Amino acid sequence: MTAPTHDPLTLSLSVNGETHDVRVPARKLLSDVLRDDLGLTGTHVGCEHGVCGACTVLIDGRPARACLTFAAQMEGHEVTTVEATGRPDALSALQQALHEEHGLQCGFCTPGIVVTFEHYLRENPDPTAEEVRDVLSGNLCRCTGYQNIVAAVLKAAARMRGEAA
Amino acid sequence: MSGDFTEIGRALPRKEDRRLVSGRGRYLDDLAFPGALHVSFVRSPHAHARILDIDSAEAAEMPGVVGIFTGRDLDQMTTRLRLAPPIEGLQPTELTTLPIDKVRFHGDPVVCVVATDRYLAEDAAECVSVEYDQLPAVTSITEAFAPDAALVDDSLTSNMVSHQSLCVGDPAARRAEAHRVVEARFSLHRHTHVPLETRGCVADWDDGRAHLNMHIGNQVPHPLRSQLAARLGLSESQVTVMSPDVGGAFGQKIALYREELTVAALSRHLRRPVRWREDRMENLMSAAHAREYECRTRASVSETGRILGLELEIDEDFGGYCFYPANYMARVIALIMTGPYRIQDYAYEVRVALTNKCGAGPMRAPMAITSWVMEGTIDAIARDLGLDPVEVRRINALGPEDLPYKMPTGELLEDVSPRETLEIAVDVIDVAAFRARQAQARAEGRYLGLGLCTVIESTTYGSEFYKSAGIPGSGHESAWVRIEPSGAVNASVGLMGTGQGYESPLSQAVAEGLGVRSEDVTVHMGNTDIAPYGMGSRGGRGATAGGGTLYLCALKARERVLAIAASMLDLNDAGGLRMRAGQIERMIGDDWQGTGLALVDIARRAYLDPLALPEGIAPGLDFSHSYDPPAMTYSNSTHACEVEVDPQTGAITIDRYLVAEDSGTVLNPIVVRGQQQGAIAMGLSGALLEQVIYDGTGQNLSATLADYLVASPNELPKFEILHHNTPNRRTPAGIKGMAEGGVMGAIGVLANAVSDALAPRGVTIERLPLTPQSIRALLREAAPSSTKRTQP
């Protein structure tokens, strides 16, 4: 068996609107580069086989699994992580609704859910509960039983449409 | 009592949320340790095999590799884990940190590779070559107990690592005089916890101070510190355990695992920080499994369905290693089996088998099968006698006139309401209307079912419980409350949350006791140098043991604060004073009126002008308190659910799910509701989908999340929760604890509902999970002629 190539590549990555130059091995996952090399630890790694959804980021505005993507594939693309969505003292409408509706417990799956629905609600401003459940099925949550997450997404959607909720 | 609370019971959203929802939580892997080494474990590909030789020469030369360590190496750096509590029928066990002579399950860690980076560590781990001599694998309870079975643990005389029995009253006489003896069987499959964040740790040995800083998401930081110190030959002063934000645990993060001890020992050995994050495959194969039981009941009943006597047999598959005494989980099942029902003639026999599978441990509701067994037995009685299952429950259920009630095992039930929750559930789900819909549906060839399941949930285990169980240990908790010179309120307790959201409810317990707003209290948890020694988070003890202790400690603080306030107001005593939201108020006439004094003034006096304090009052505002809860506290609930089973596909749809709950005094209704929903979800997910699968040779076939299925929102219903809370008269503020009963009820209610749905097809659910394949198999077995296709 031949040893894999470890020679690092120099990559220019556009993440959350900023350009970062990193030197990483070609095989290094986007999730690991975001976390280890860029310090963006909000992207969580839950399974490394694309099932749990905790590592969901936006690639060119569309949700994708950072654990199934090599950082080296991301040159020329725009990556958006949870850190671009609100801060603890300035939550987005969706984050605020998750807080109010108790839509998270351990919080490990939450960044992936936030990223997924920030995108979804932009394209689908008025979803039904069933549609929210369908989309949410791409993100595993072991704590909540999902009911409060669905309520939070619907509440955020209503607020984003300008309705009282 | 609860009507007087101002902070306890407030629906406060959680303090943790802002950081977690914005991706600013700090979980273990988010902590940076410059220069940290990474480990990867080489794991056994066999279920049972002798280790003949380990060749790591090639791996040792690979880039980035710092060291490669085997069981023999670790045996020099650590002591072995010997479990030999004085429990009759329990065989003592001992295990090394990593296996030396043989492996006992597929995924057993054999070699630890240390490298400068995780990728390089995994590269090298692939190049370590281990030569094995395969042994016959024991993969079931039946195989384990066979006379010629291979020994899983060579030091034991058999694979029956634990065997206990009890007989109270005269069940044999009840059987002889019974109208009928009804037998039922229950087989619960192997589960695993699946916290979204897998296990992991960073051990940071401080060579100058000879001190180990252990960063690890763990439910019980102090007991973990005791274990680490003992196994490393260090004093408890030389180890600090720090638990950061934790991405779920559910019982999986209690024991000191062999991998974690290895990492700690290697940090000390290499004098560098060493870190480990298990991958999902390791988590599913090798962390801890749970719940694999075979139960049989024999109920002696009267013509009306009254249970005269109950006999229970439990066999548990405990896997290959004992990280807990082997009777630890099954004992509680046997202890509380009779639960909500009036039964005095009772016998049990509990046998625990070692097998060549991953070791078992407690998983949220370690006694989860209890309610299914008891409620499934009730349904079996109703079927056998042709009675209404609701009536059989009513005739046996404990009512207010029976309390306090001593179960045949000696367990005492007080301030519970099983008959009340049953009636609420029966009323709200409207059983009569359902039966009409069910009859109509059956006429159309559709299969609707209704299940009921009443739960008695053991929540808080006091020291008296451990003593009677023969386990050395305590059920107490300790807390401190400090009011700082600025009037800021800090508090700490030995619990460690792993996602429940302790920060708000525990702040509420402190705020209630002291007389401040919950928003102004900060509770510090998870650092063993900061928190007082506590027994940590397990069972449903957080609210009663943790919240109760903090509440009592805060009452102590309030007494001092008011005494100082009285002296500042030139009053003889504090009798007419109280503090609300940090303001001192005085009863004048029938009204509470402001005094102009606030906590900050009291704090200033205590810290900056202590000579002005009344005689006998020491400077500062620093309080500590310990509290040992009753032997056991109990919550209760009744679950009701409606299902439809599609006989063509075997798919189950949950049409309605409700639960009537008695959780005692609730610290924070938002958090309690979340725990109820989450527990039910975990129970349903386990009953519908989850299953650890080993083949006949002991190969684990369920090591990805595409094989071990966890429920998505599409499988789970909307939960209706009805409250019937009665405070416990013996605990601080009437707190009872909760958060596991939902699992117990969900498993039982789903199985009972599906049995009800498929009754016309002659199918009774005796085995979980209820996957479409298993439902189809049951239908084929029950009526082979109607569904089997003719073979060409």
Side-chain angles (χ1 to χ4, degrees):
Chain A
M1 189 171 133
T2 55
T5 304
H6 305 295
D7 296 341
L9 306 173
T10 301
L11 304 176
S12 180
L13 300 178
S14 179
V15 180
N16 299 336
E18 288 181 30
T19 303
H20 302 264
D21 292 324
V22 293
R23 277 177 64 75
V24 297
R27 63 175 175 170
K28 194 160 185 177
L29 299 173
L30 176 59
S31 49
D32 288 341
V33 170
L34 290 172
R35 296 177 47 80
D36 302 345
D37 297 273
L38 303 184
L40 296 170
T41 54
T43 300
H44 294 158
V45 177
C47 72
E48 289 186 294
H49 50 264
V51 177
C52 81
C55 70
T56 304
V57 297
L58 300 183
I59 297 175
D60 297 330
R62 301 201 63 77
R65 304 293 206 226
C67 78
L68 297 183
T69 307
F70 294 115
Q73 295 171 278
M74 286 300 100
E75 280 201 309
H77 298 278
E78 174 62 32
V79 177
T80 309
T81 70
V82 69
E83 283 87 353
T85 308
R87 290 185 36 78
D89 54 0
L91 300 180
S92 74
L94 175 60
Q95 289 168 326
Q96 179 65 27
L98 284 162
H99 171 55
E100 291 171 12
E101 293 297 317
H102 191 20
L104 66 153
Q105 290 185 26
C106 82
F108 200 80
C109 69
T110 310
I113 290 171
V114 167
V115 168
T116 300
F117 281 95
E118 290 286 352
H119 165 262
Y120 177 78
L121 290 180
R122 270 199 302 274
E123 297 194 352
N124 303 274
D126 193 8
T128 65
E130 262 103 83
E131 287 166 342
V132 171
R133 280 185 184 259
D134 279 348
V135 175
L136 187 54
S137 68
N139 295 77
L140 286 183
C141 170
R142 190 59 158 161
C143 298
T144 65
Y146 304 105
Q147 182 170 330
N148 293 349
I149 304 176
V150 175
V153 172
L154 294 174
K155 185 179 202 174
R159 282 185 181 159
M160 290 161 76
R161 292 192 306 268
E163 296 165 19
Chain B
M1 189 175 184
S2 59
D4 297 336
F5 293 137
T6 55
E7 293 296 324
I8 286 179
R10 281 177 69 192
L12 284 176
R14 305 189 324 162
K15 295 186 177 195
E16 294 88 344
D17 289 350
R18 291 186 175 278
R19 67 176 188 268
L20 301 183
V21 83
S22 61
R24 268 77 171 185
R26 288 197 178 180
Y27 301 87
L28 187 91
D29 259 7
D30 304 340
L31 308 177
F33 289 83
L37 300 171
H38 295 251
V39 309
S40 176
F41 289 92
V42 178
R43 294 183 180 274
S44 168
H46 305 299
H48 197 194
R50 300 244 169 253
I51 301 170
L52 299 180
D53 184 50
I54 298 173
D55 180 358
S56 55
E58 182 193 347
E61 296 305 314
M62 291 175 65
V65 174
V66 172
I68 295 174
F69 301 90
T70 65
R72 247 177 247 292
D73 300 321
L74 268 303
D75 208 33
Q76 303 297 311
M77 304 176 200
T78 54
T79 63
R80 299 178 177 191
L81 174 65
R82 184 168 170 79
L83 279 186
I87 296 168
E88 204 190 330
L90 180 73
Q91 298 200 56
T93 57
E94 183 177 282
L95 63 107
T96 56
T97 298
L98 293 179
I100 294 174
D101 298 320
K102 77 168 188 177
V103 291
R104 298 194 202 165
F105 73 96
H106 178 203
D108 212 349
V110 180
V111 177
C112 181
V113 176
V114 187
T116 51
D117 145 309
R118 173 62 183 252
Y119 288 72
L120 299 176
E122 288 191 25
D123 289 343
E126 281 184 14
C127 294
V128 174
S129 142
V130 184
E131 193 184 337
Y132 295 97
D133 177 22
Q134 282 195 68
L135 300 167
V138 176
T139 60
S140 70
I141 295 167
T142 310
E143 283 176 29
F145 291 160
D148 57 345
L151 274 182
V152 174
D153 183 336
D154 295 341
S155 72
L156 304 187
T157 52
S158 80
N159 292 323
M160 197 184 296
V161 65
S162 184
H163 184 196
Q164 284 89 22
S165 60
L166 179 80
C167 184
V168 180
D170 195 345
R174 300 293 85 77
R175 206 184 322 129
E177 71 199 27
H179 168 68
R180 294 278 293 172
V181 176
V182 179
E183 299 193 358
R185 305 173 73 88
F186 307 88
S187 172
L188 190 59
H189 55 293
R190 186 165 269 253
H191 290 56
T192 186
H193 310 64
V194 198
L196 258 283
E197 184 195 31
T198 55
R199 294 178 302 161
C201 60
V202 182
D204 187 8
W205 175 255
D206 179 339
D207 203 39
R209 292 169 63 226
H211 191 97
L212 176 69
N213 289 306
M214 187 74 168
H215 304 265
I216 179 168
N218 190 272
Q219 301 170 233
V220 297
H222 288 97
L224 189 82
R225 184 189 70 179
S226 299
Q227 281 269 317
L228 264 173
R231 306 273 314 268
L232 291 166
L234 297 170
S235 98
E236 283 178 294
S237 305
Q238 289 178 282
V239 179
T240 304
V241 170
M242 283 166 272
S243 189
D245 286 327
V246 186
F250 313 110
Q252 198 175 69
K253 297 172 182 172
I254 294 175
L256 171 63
Y257 290 99
R258 298 175 296 166
E259 294 93 337
E260 296 157 357
L261 179 60
T262 298
V263 169
L266 292 178
S267 175
R268 183 188 188 189
H269 177 74
L270 297 165
R271 302 188 176 91
R272 289 180 67 175
V274 178
R275 67 191 309 161
W276 171 61
R277 161 65 60 212
E278 76 178 342
D279 64 26
R280 183 55 65 184
M281 184 172 79
E282 291 179 289
N283 181 261
L284 291 168
M285 287 174 75
S286 316
H289 292 169
R291 302 217 204 290
E292 189 169 4
Y293 294 100
E294 303 279 343
C295 294
R296 293 167 293 280
T297 57
R298 191 152 60 173
S300 303
V301 296
S302 74
E303 248 177 305
T304 57
R306 179 79 183 92
I307 300 171
L308 309 171
L310 183 71
E311 294 157 87
L312 166 71
E313 290 169 19
I314 303 176
D315 289 341
E316 180 179 5
D317 183 332
F318 211 66
Y321 293 102
C322 296
F323 296 103
Y324 301 86
N327 69 331
Y328 183 67
M329 282 90 77
R331 178 177 184 275
V332 176
I333 297 170
L335 205 63
I336 67 168
M337 177 55 66
T338 58
Y341 299 111
R342 280 179 295 125
I343 297 170
Q344 282 300 319
D345 296 77
Y346 174 60
Y348 68 69
E349 181 176 16
V350 179
R351 306 187 302 171
V352 182
L354 289 185
T355 59
N356 291 116
K357 303 180 188 172
C358 179
M363 175 173 166
R364 187 183 201 167
M367 63 306 200
I369 193 175
T370 308
S371 302
W372 177 32
V373 172
M374 192 62 235
E375 293 286 309
T377 299
I378 294 265
D379 279 2
I381 294 166
R383 268 194 307 275
D384 191 88
L385 299 178
L387 298 171
D388 177 350
V390 176
E391 288 307 320
V392 177
R393 284 174 171 79
R394 281 182 177 140
I395 197 174
N396 288 292
L398 290 168
E401 68 281 6
D402 300 308
L403 301 178
Y405 185 79
K406 198 171 218 178
M407 292 193 227
T409 51
E411 286 296 300
L412 188 68
L413 292 173
E414 340 171 66
D415 301 321
V416 292
S417 54
R419 198 153 75 202
E420 291 89 329
T421 56
L422 170 67
E423 295 300 345
I424 294 168
V426 164
D427 180 49
V428 175
I429 205 150
D430 196 346
V431 174
F434 172 81
R435 292 294 173 212
R437 284 202 302 284
Q438 182 182 42
Q440 173 73 32
R442 279 179 183 171
E444 297 162 7
R446 290 167 55 215
Y447 296 89
L448 305 191
L450 172 72
L452 290 170
C453 187
T454 296
V455 176
I456 288 283
E457 173 190 1
S458 47
T459 50
T460 320
Y461 297 56
S463 295
E464 227 179 300
F465 174 85
Y466 291 103
K467 190 177 179 199
S468 67
I471 303 169
S474 174
H476 85 286
E477 200 58 47
S478 295
W480 57 252
V481 172
R482 288 181 200 149
I483 299 151
E484 310 294 349
S486 66
V489 182
N490 283 308
S492 184
V493 67
L495 305 177
M496 180 58 209
T498 51
Q500 300 92 330
Y502 284 160
E503 293 178 22
S504 294
L506 294 181
S507 296
Q508 289 172 263
V510 173
E512 185 68 48
L514 180 58
V516 296
R517 296 186 324 144
S518 307
E519 292 85 339
D520 298 330
V521 177
T522 303
V523 181
H524 302 263
M525 286 168 282
N527 183 314
T528 53
D529 290 348
I530 295 172
Y533 198 110
M535 307 317 292
S537 299
R538 55 211 301 178
R541 73 188 299 275
T544 310
T549 308
L550 282 165
Y551 175 68
L552 295 175
C553 191
L555 284 177
K556 220 185 218 181
R558 174 169 75 178
E559 196 183 331
R560 177 86 61 85
V561 166
L562 293 181
I564 297 171
S567 86
M568 292 172 77
L569 293 166
D570 290 325
L571 301 171
N572 287 332
D573 61 57
L577 296 181
R578 72 173 189 186
M579 186 161 66
R580 282 285 163 90
Q583 301 295 317
I584 306 291
E585 297 174 358
R586 185 178 175 187
M587 177 72 89
I588 297 175
D590 287 335
D591 284 335
W592 288 103
Q593 298 188 2
T595 61
L597 271 186
L599 183 59
V600 60
D601 303 307
I602 313 294
R604 202 175 295 129
R605 175 68 57 102
Y607 284 94
L608 305 178
D609 191 10
L611 296 180
L613 290 169
E615 207 176 311
I617 291 190
L621 290 168
D622 193 340
F623 308 89
S624 61
H625 191 81
S626 292
Y627 167 65
D628 200 345
M632 188 76 86
T633 59
Y634 287 96
S635 287
N636 64 275
S637 58
T638 299
H639 296 239
C641 107
E642 294 180 23
V643 298
E644 177 161 4
V645 182
D646 181 342
Q648 300 306 314
T649 64
I652 296 166
T653 309
I654 300 172
D655 292 329
R656 189 172 182 198
Y657 197 107
L658 70 83
V659 55
E661 280 254 0
D662 183 344
S663 303
T665 297
V666 167
L667 292 174
N668 180 322
I670 293 181
V671 169
V672 166
R673 192 182 67 224
Q675 290 301 304
Q676 287 160 337
Q677 293 173 349
I680 295 168
M682 183 168 274
L684 292 177
S685 177
L688 285 168
L689 297 163
E690 299 176 29
Q691 188 173 22
V692 176
I693 301 169
Y694 284 95
D695 73 9
T697 66
Q699 289 290 304
N700 187 320
L701 305 181
S702 48
T704 77
L705 290 178
D707 302 291
Y708 188 90
L709 301 179
V710 173
S712 86
N714 290 329
E715 287 84 39
L716 294 177
K718 195 165 172 221
F719 313 108
E720 298 169 51
I721 299 173
L722 311 158
H723 302 287
H724 179 77
N725 292 332
T726 48
N728 184 313
R729 277 167 286 186
R730 291 216 290 152
T731 61
I735 304 166
K736 285 179 177 171
M738 51 80 59
E740 295 194 318
V743 179
M744 304 171 73
I747 292 172
V749 80
L750 188 76
N752 287 349
V754 174
S755 288
D756 184 51
L758 297 181
R761 301 287 288 262
V763 169
T764 302
I765 300 304
E766 296 181 330
R767 180 171 292 276
L768 297 181
L770 300 172
T771 60
Q773 297 92 320
S774 70
I775 295 291
R776 287 286 305 143
L778 286 170
L779 289 168
R780 280 195 301 272
E781 286 160 25
S785 58
S786 65
T787 51
K788 198 186 277 181
R789 287 168 192 227
T790 311
Q791 295 296 322

